[in-house]
Structures are given as structure tokens and as C-alpha cells.
């Protein structure tokens, strides 16, 4: 089947969903999109995507439904209940849920979809806004292998890597594991550089050494939290752009919730969640999450 013959409904056209919907349109799919925010809808319309008047209108005749919403409550409200989209999809349709949400929420919606004979995968992403725009996202998938195979050509138009982690909810669990590690690594990298600087070390020289030594990570190589160390890192432009502190805080909250569900100890994950909560309270919720290092600096 040619891409043009595949009708995709896309709900949620924010920082991530907007460019993802545009990439599907560029790949030739027939995309009908909706967002509650009129400006977000207009932005994708200007790039050729068909704007629908409502979520219900967007899913009419759709073979595939993709959603990219802020959090669990938005996803459950969109899909479940008498007015939910699951009750409006044509038999045999495929749901690809890309938001980062609680694994339990993903499982709840997947069970409701299955009860209606609809296939669904959870497919949260990694790669940020730049990856969404460039079509190089990583999809971290939970759900049946057959559903993933049906979704694969659609995912490939928006991303580069696809990992199948297991059954429904497994994509969300894996995404939370990744972001929990990232959050803790960023915080401790900032802590290490702050310690060195307090001893008179040059943060750039220290970071360069760490970037090729055993504490090497994305935080030392790509997104160094210390201003001026890496020219292209958010820290060098006032922590603008990048991955917001409050999104990291949300993901760490989900990780804590997921850990409690199975009684898993996550001492560093919980400590990291508190650090990003403090950074939010310090007024940096909207800045890149690497601004967490600012908590450790002496006031001037
Ligand atoms: P965003 O806030 O920019 O966009 C969300 C959009 O959903 C908004 O435009 C909002 O109006 C819309 N929306 C909410 N409820 C809706 C509804 N019922 N119907 C239609 N539209 C609705 O968020 P984002 O940055 O695009 O992130 C989306 C998801 O992707 C989140 O779960 C986030 O954690 C995850 N994520 C974000 C990034 C990132 O770097 N921004 C990276 C990876 C994953």
C-alpha cells in the first residue's frame, strides 16, 4: 500500500508532535491533525498537514492514530470513556501512543483498546525536539510484535532507531529507566564539576578530562551543565532550549511511582527527583534540566 493511501490521525502538535506530524506528511502519508491549541494547529497546517476541527473529526476514516500529549491524564481522557477515541476508531485501526506516561496508564489504555479489537503500542521517544524535527527519534516500544510491524513504516518516517522492549507498558518502563539514569548522571556531573571549581580547577579542563575518562557521558560530551564549557550546550545560552527541568521532574516522578509499584529501591532516582523539584522551586522549571547544577553554586 502506498503511503498516500494510509490515513493517519495525529493528536497533540506541541514541540514534539508538531514536527513529527510534518515528517509524516513529507513522507507522503495522508495526515489529519488536531490540537486544542489553535496556534499549534496553524503551525502544522502551514506546512501542508490537514487540520481537523476536532479529535473526533481527525480520526474519521483513519487506519492509524498517533498521540503525543503531555501526561497520563491527557492520554486517558483522550482515549477512554463513552466519548473516548477508542470508541470512535474503525475496526482494525492501529494506535501508536508516543507520550511519556505512567506504564500503568499505557497498560490501561492498551487493555481497553484490545477489548475493542484495536491494536495498540506504547512508543515513547528519545531524541528531543531536534530529533523530532530531523526525523531521527528513537522509539521505545511496548506491545505485540505484530502491532509493531504494522507501525514500523510509520515510525521510520519519524525516527531512526526502534527498540521493542516487551508487552504493553514496557516501552514506558524502558523510557523511564533511561531518563532516570540521565537525570542522576546530569546532577552528579554538575556536582563533580562544582567540586573541582571550588578547588580552583578550570571547569573546561576538568570537563575535557572527564569526557575521555571513566565518568564520560552525554552530560560531559554533549550537554555539559557548566556555562561556557561547550559552546552548543543549553548551559552556554542561559539554559534555553534543550529538555526542560519540569519534563525531567515529571519523568522522575513517574520513575518513583513505577518503582513503588514493584517495591524497587531507587535511592539515586529519588534523590535526583528532589533535586529537580528544588530547581523548579528556584524558578528554573522552564529552563533546560542541566540548570540543576545552579543549585550547587555559591550565591555571588
Ligand atoms: P507540548 O506541551 O509542547 O505539547 C503537547 C500538546 O498536546 C500541546 O500542544 C497541547 O495543546 C496538546 N494537547 C493536550 N491535550 C490535548 C487534547 N486532549 N487534544 C489535543 N491536543 C491536546 O509537549 P511536548 O514537548 O511536545 O511533549 C509531548 C510528550 O513527549 C510528553 O509526554 C513529553 O514528556 C514527551 N517528550 C518530550 C520531549 C521534549 O524534549 N520536549 C522529549 C521526549 C519525550
Amino acid at each position: 500500500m502506498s503511503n498516500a493511501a494510509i490515513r493517519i490521525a495525529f493528536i497533540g502538535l506541541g514541540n514534539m508532535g508538531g514536527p513529527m506530524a510534518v515528517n509524516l506528511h513529507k513522507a507522503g502519508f495522508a495526515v489529519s491533525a488536531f490540537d486544542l491549541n489553535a496556534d499549534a494547529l496553524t503551525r502544522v497546517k502551514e506546512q501542508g498537514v490537514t487540520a481537523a476541527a476536532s479529535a473526533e473529526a481527525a480520526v474519521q476514516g483513519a487506519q492509524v492514530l498517533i498521540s503525543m500529549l503531555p501526561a497520563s491524564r491527557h492520554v486517558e481522557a483522550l482515549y477512554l470513556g463513552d466519548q473516548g477515541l477508542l470508541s470512535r476508531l474503525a475496526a482494525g485501526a492501529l494506535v501508536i501512543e508516543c507520550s511519556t506516561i505512567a506504564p500503568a496508564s499505557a497498560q490501561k489504555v492498551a487493555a481497553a483498546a484490545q477489548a475493542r479489537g484495536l491494536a495498540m503500542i506504547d512508543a515513547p521517544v528519545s531524541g528531543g525536539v531536534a530529533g523530532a524535527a530531523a526525523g531521527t527519534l528513537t522509539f521505545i516500544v511496548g506491545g505485540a510484535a505484530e502491532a509493531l510491524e504494522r507501525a514500523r513504516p510509520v515510525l521510520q518516517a519519524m525516527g531512526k532507531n526502534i527498540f521493542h522492549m516487551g508487552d504493553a507498558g514496557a516501552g514506558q518502563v524502558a523510557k523511564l529507566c533511561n531518563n532516570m539514569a540521565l537525570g542522576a548522571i546530569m546532577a552528579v556531573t554538575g556536582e563533580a564539576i562544582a567540586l573541582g571549581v571550588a578547588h580552583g580547577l578550570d571547569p573546561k579542563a576538568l570537563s575535557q578530562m572527564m569526557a575521555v575518562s571513566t565518568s564520560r557521558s552525554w552530560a560531559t560530551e554533549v550537554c555539559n551543565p557548566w556555562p561556557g564549557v561547550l559552546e552548543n550546550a543549553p548551559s552556554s545560552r542561559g539554559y534555553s532550549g534543550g529538555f526542560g527541568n519540569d519534563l525531567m521532574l515529571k519523568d522522575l516522578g513517574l520513575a518513583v511511582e513505577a518503582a513503588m509499584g514493584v517495591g524497587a529501591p531507587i535511592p539515586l532516582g529519588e534523590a535526583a527527583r528532589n533535586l529537580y523539584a528544588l530547581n523548579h522551586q528556584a524558578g528554573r522549571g522552564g529552563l533546560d534540566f542541566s540548570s540543576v547544577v545552579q543549585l550547587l553554586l555559591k550565591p555571588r
Side-chain angles (χ1 to χ4, degrees), residues 212-225:
V212 293
S213 300
T214 41
S215 66
R216 171 181 176 192
S217 74
W218 189 78
T220 56
E221 286 177 77
V222 182
C223 189
N224 192 296

Side-chain angles (χ1 to χ4, degrees), residues 142-205:
E146 310 83 72
L148 169 56
E149 287 322 306
R150 282 177 63 195
R152 195 176 288 278
V154 175
L155 300 182
Q156 280 169 338
M158 302 181 283
K160 206 166 64 171
N161 297 304
I162 300 171
F163 291 94
H164 188 199
M165 307 309 303
D167 294 336
Q172 297 294 350
V173 174
K175 163 79 184 170
L176 296 181
C177 292
N178 179 71
N179 280 24
M180 184 178 85
L182 172 64
I185 289 166
M186 180 59 77
V188 79
T189 300
E191 200 171 302
I193 300 171
L195 173 64
V197 169
H199 279 268
L201 299 189
D202 171 25
K204 203 167 195 166

Side-chain angles (χ1 to χ4, degrees), residues 10-20 34-38 40-41 43 55 68-72 74-75 77-78 98-101 124-130 137 175 179 242-244 247 250-251 254:
F10 203 115
I11 314 292
L13 308 164
N15 292 324
M16 298 294 289
M20 289 165 72
F34 178 71
D35 195 296
L36 291 174
N37 179 325
L41 196 55
R43 267 194 299 277
M68 192 51 160
L69 303 177
S72 303
H74 305 95
V75 172
L78 182 74
C98 294
S99 329
T100 301
I101 60 172
V125 304
S126 180
V129 176
L137 291 171
K175 163 79 184 170
N179 280 24
F243 182 58
L247 283 178
K250 178 191 89 161
D251 292 356
L254 290 173

Side-chain angles (χ1 to χ4, degrees), residues 255-269:
V256 170
E257 203 180 296
M260 289 197 314
V262 293
I266 51 161
L268 296 178

